[in-house]
Amino acid sequence: MEAINKESLSATALPAKIKRVFYMSSEGENLLHEVFPTPNATVLEQLNSVDCIVYGMGSLFTSICPSLVLLGVGEIISSRSCLKVLMLNGTHDRETNGFLASSFVTAITDALNRTHGDPCNHLNNPPSQYINTLLVPRNSAIQVDADRLAAQGIFDVIVVDSLRDPKVGIIYDPMSLIRALADLIDRYMKTGVNFLIDIR
C-alpha cells in the first residue's frame, strides 16, 4: 500500500473504475453486509425547500456520492422542479481518470437511483430529474460530450472563467462562478414566475 497525495496532479489512476458507493456494517443482512442509512431529517427538509441544488466539486466517489446514496435523497431531488446544477471539476483525479462530462452525470444518477444495490431500494429516474444544468470551468481537462449529455436530457451547459492553481490544476474563477450561479438562479426564478403568470 502507498499513501495517496491528494494534492498531487500526478496521482496514479485506479486500476479499475469504481462501480458504486455503499455502506457496510457487521449488522448488514446480505452477503456484502450492506446497510441503508437515512440522512439527518434536516437535510431532507432543506432539499425539499431550496430554490437550487448544487452538486459541488470534489472527489466524485469519496466526497459526493456517499451523501447521495442515502435513502430519501434521490426521492426528494427527483421530485423537485428547481434548478439542479452539477459543477464539473476542472481536472481528473485518480477516481475519475478517463471520465467524460456524461460519466459524472451517470455516476451521480446511479448513486441517487441506488442502481447497483438492493433491488428493493432502486429508483429508475432519468439523469435529467437530478441534473438540469452543467457548469464547466474554461479549459477543463474533462471533455464535455454534448451529444451524450443531450441524450441524458441535459442541454444547459455553461462555461465559467477559470484559473490555473499550481497544486490542483484548473479551478473556477471565484467571482465568475458566483456570477454564473446568481445569473442562473435569477433566470430560473424569472422563468418560473412567467410560467405562473402564463397559466392563470
Side-chain angles (χ1 to χ4, degrees):
M1 301 292 289
E2 68 177 280
I4 300 301
N5 180 2
K6 293 278 250 180
E7 294 183 357
S8 172
L9 289 174
S10 59
T12 306
L14 295 175
K17 289 184 178 181
I18 296 171
K19 183 177 180 180
R20 69 172 176 133
V21 173
F22 62 99
Y23 288 86
M24 298 173 66
S25 167
S26 58
E27 299 173 8
E29 297 179 358
N30 60 27
L31 182 63
L32 295 174
H33 297 284
E34 186 173 3
V35 292
F36 305 93
T38 54
N40 184 299
T42 304
V43 173
L44 298 181
E45 289 170 14
Q46 290 294 318
L47 285 173
N48 212 24
S49 62
V50 295
D51 295 322
C52 179
I53 296 169
V54 178
Y55 304 91
M57 298 166 299
S59 298
L60 178 63
F61 292 105
T62 52
S63 296
I64 299 171
C65 288
S67 300
L68 304 182
V69 299
L70 298 172
L71 292 178
V73 176
E75 285 84 345
I76 286 185
I77 293 177
S78 63
S79 72
R80 298 296 316 282
S81 60
C82 65
L83 188 60
K84 302 169 190 179
V85 181
L86 169 59
M87 292 173 55
L88 197 64
N89 289 347
T91 55
H92 290 287
D93 59 25
R94 65 191 312 261
E95 299 174 6
T96 60
N97 189 48
F99 272 36
L100 306 173
S102 65
S103 308
F104 283 82
V105 172
T106 297
I108 288 171
T109 301
D110 284 349
L112 288 163
N113 277 338
R114 300 180 296 272
T115 300
H116 302 293
D118 186 331
C120 296
N121 291 318
H122 284 192
L123 299 176
N124 194 31
N125 296 313
S128 57
Q129 279 190 246
Y130 297 123
I131 299 167
N132 50 37
T133 304
L134 196 68
L135 292 186
V136 182
R138 194 177 304 282
N139 301 317
S140 173
I142 297 166
Q143 182 183 341
V144 176
D145 49 336
D147 289 348
R148 178 63 188 141
L149 289 169
Q152 293 174 317
I154 300 166
F155 302 95
D156 200 6
V157 178
I158 298 168
V159 177
V160 179
D161 287 340
S162 65
L163 303 170
R164 179 172 289 280
D165 183 288
K167 289 185 176 179
V168 297
I170 297 295
I171 61 172
Y172 290 92
D173 172 70
M175 291 309 298
S176 296
L177 177 59
I178 290 168
R179 277 195 304 272
L181 284 169
D183 289 348
L184 267 173
I185 293 169
D186 184 56
R187 183 182 72 181
Y188 195 86
M189 297 301 284
K190 285 178 180 174
T191 303
V193 169
N194 289 339
F195 176 72
L196 289 174
I197 292 170
D198 288 345
I199 64 173
R200 289 180 179 170

